Amino acid sequence: MTMHSRKVGLAVAQMGAVNLADSRASVVKRLVEMMREAHGRGADFVVFPELALTTFFPRYWMSMQEAEQRYFETSMPNADVQPLFDTAKSLGVGFYLGYAELTPDGQRFNASILVNKQAEIVGKYRKIHLPGHDDHKLDAPFQHLEKKYFDVGDQPFGVWNLDEIKMGMCLCNDRRWPETWRVMSLQSAEIIVLGYNTPSRNIHWPEPVHLRMHHHLITLQASAYQNCVWAAAAAKCGYEDGHHMIGGSVIVAPTGEIVAQASTEDDEVISVSADLALAETFRKNVFDFARHRRPEHYRLIVERTGPGEPLERA
Ligand code: CDT
């Protein structure tokens, strides 16, 4: 069966290091430059990283007051980020951006937004799977304090109408969990976008470094295929004040194939013309959910958090 193609210019703007000394204004200038480049290549939509406006601050132990003052945004857009919204509007390009959100009632989220071609925020997501720890690990080479600085997201994974595309979003560690993707695929997502900051060294166990990239890529490839979506993932990477994070920003087709991949650990734009009809082909065949899924046999997924006893069988 032939489908009518629906092509979208999809770009990922990977970022190299953002150091402690870098101002938000200088970061936004880099984002604007990459948005212009993406637009020049025909992009309708650009994906920026998680916590894109600052260094990956959860690697540092500090008081909550200091963290809030230095790294959180109390409004979006704000004066520092406004140039990105202005550029998006003048070019007619939508975008996804990750940042640390401090709400008026004092909640702190690792958040991301979807912004349409008119530079209107159409969706907000607050990270659900927060990795790391909340205590000060004095023996560790650096910290991963997302459990200290952020509250768990208060809304389920969502899908929004972004300029006539059904778009879902998540953040970094979320990509490793199959539930993340399935919940959005069940809302008919066509594209799932995400940003990430993945340290190349794991402070919890001596993980071989090459596995970091391997796990990043297999989760994106398998999840795009199993959920019939385009996936676009933007890294913040390279050495932030000496702390290395993996690059490997990618765009993955619903076939599970990588169709664009960053080759540096710097600011780098990758882009494709993504045919959304490709996902439809999979949804109508091998992954026709309505025909083939058997949720009555998946109960444990929502009933249990961790492993337990085998089910009683008749
Ligand atoms: N930012 C983020 O979620 N990073 C995690 C690191 C996990 S190791 C504590 C990731 O899954 O890439």
Side-chain angles (χ1 to χ4, degrees):
M1 190 188 341
T2 342
M3 302 275 171
H4 294 295
S5 69
R6 272 176 67 218
K7 297 219 170 144
V8 174
L10 180 59
V12 165
Q14 173 176 284
M15 297 178 73
V18 176
N19 292 309
L20 281 164
D22 296 337
S23 67
R24 281 190 184 54
S26 72
V27 170
V28 170
K29 211 164 155 216
R30 288 162 58 183
L31 301 182
V32 165
E33 218 167 278
M34 288 199 282
M35 182 178 276
R36 289 192 183 287
E37 182 178 340
H39 175 254
R41 295 191 196 181
D44 300 297
F45 189 85
V46 190
V47 184
F48 293 113
E50 173 192 43
L51 299 174
L53 302 174
T54 66
T55 199
F56 187 66
F57 67 89
R59 76 167 66 89
Y60 301 109
W61 178 265
M62 70 194 99
S63 71
M64 207 60 94
Q65 194 191 18
E66 181 182 353
E68 286 182 3
Q69 278 168 4
R70 290 180 67 174
Y71 299 112
F72 283 75
E73 316 301 317
T74 51
S75 60
M76 189 55 64
N78 54 40
D80 286 320
V81 187
Q82 191 59 47
L84 187 63
F85 280 72
D86 294 343
T87 308
K89 192 167 183 174
S90 73
L91 299 177
V93 172
F95 67 94
Y96 159 103
L97 178 75
Y99 65 98
E101 176 196 17
L102 177 60
T103 69
D105 61 355
Q107 285 185 291
R108 293 174 303 271
F109 296 107
N110 186 343
S112 60
I113 46 172
L114 289 180
V115 180
N116 69 14
K117 289 177 185 220
Q118 285 78 46
E120 298 157 340
I121 297 176
V122 300
K124 180 186 280 182
Y125 167 69
R126 291 162 166 168
K127 190 171 179 179
I128 290 172
H129 299 104
L130 296 173
H133 51 100
D134 60 7
D135 56 324
H136 193 181
K137 298 208 174 297
L138 293 166
D139 294 335
F142 57 90
Q143 310 293 304
H144 198 111
L145 291 162
E146 290 194 60
K147 286 196 192 294
K148 168 178 160 79
Y149 296 129
F150 301 118
D151 298 310
V152 174
D154 56 353
Q155 302 284 324
F157 292 103
V159 170
W160 290 267
N161 181 342
L162 191 286
D163 300 321
E164 305 310 316
I165 303 162
K166 293 184 194 106
M167 197 171 292
M169 58 179 154
C170 64
L171 281 158
C172 195
N173 192 263
D174 289 323
R175 73 196 188 287
R176 303 183 193 274
W177 301 90
E179 296 85 354
T180 299
W181 301 83
R182 188 48 56 95
V183 167
M184 288 189 270
S185 186
L186 285 169
Q187 296 170 72
S188 308
E190 296 174 297
I191 304 179
I192 292 179
V193 297
L194 62 105
Y196 60 100
N197 287 266
T198 297
S200 49
R201 187 162 170 196
N202 189 332
I203 59 169
H204 303 290
W205 67 282
E207 181 177 2
V209 169
H210 73 278
L211 288 181
R212 295 299 249 186
M213 184 62 76
H214 176 65
H215 293 152
H216 160 67
L217 295 177
I218 55 166
T219 43
L220 281 158
Q221 291 188 253
S223 302
Y225 167 64
Q226 292 172 334
N227 293 285
C228 316
V229 293
W230 285 84
K236 182 141 67 59
C237 58
Y239 287 90
E240 289 194 337
D241 296 295
H243 298 283
H244 187 256
M245 297 189 293
I246 66 166
S249 298
V250 279
I251 300 175
V252 182
T255 56
E257 294 167 297
I258 294 173
V259 290
Q261 181 163 9
S263 55
T264 70
E265 291 181 347
D266 292 319
D267 289 7
E268 180 180 344
V269 177
I270 57 172
S271 61
V272 299
S273 171
D275 188 354
L276 303 185
L278 190 53
E280 233 177 285
T281 308
F282 285 88
R283 278 193 188 271
K284 293 206 157 105
N285 292 287
V286 59
F287 294 126
D288 183 343
F289 285 0
R291 215 151 41 97
H292 304 307
R293 289 187 77 249
R294 296 286 172 250
E296 68 274 25
H297 292 304
Y298 310 154
R299 274 187 13 231
L300 285 191
I301 289 177
V302 289
E303 286 178 359
R304 285 187 190 169
T305 308
E309 292 303 312
L311 287 174
E312 302 265 327
R313 308 197 70 88

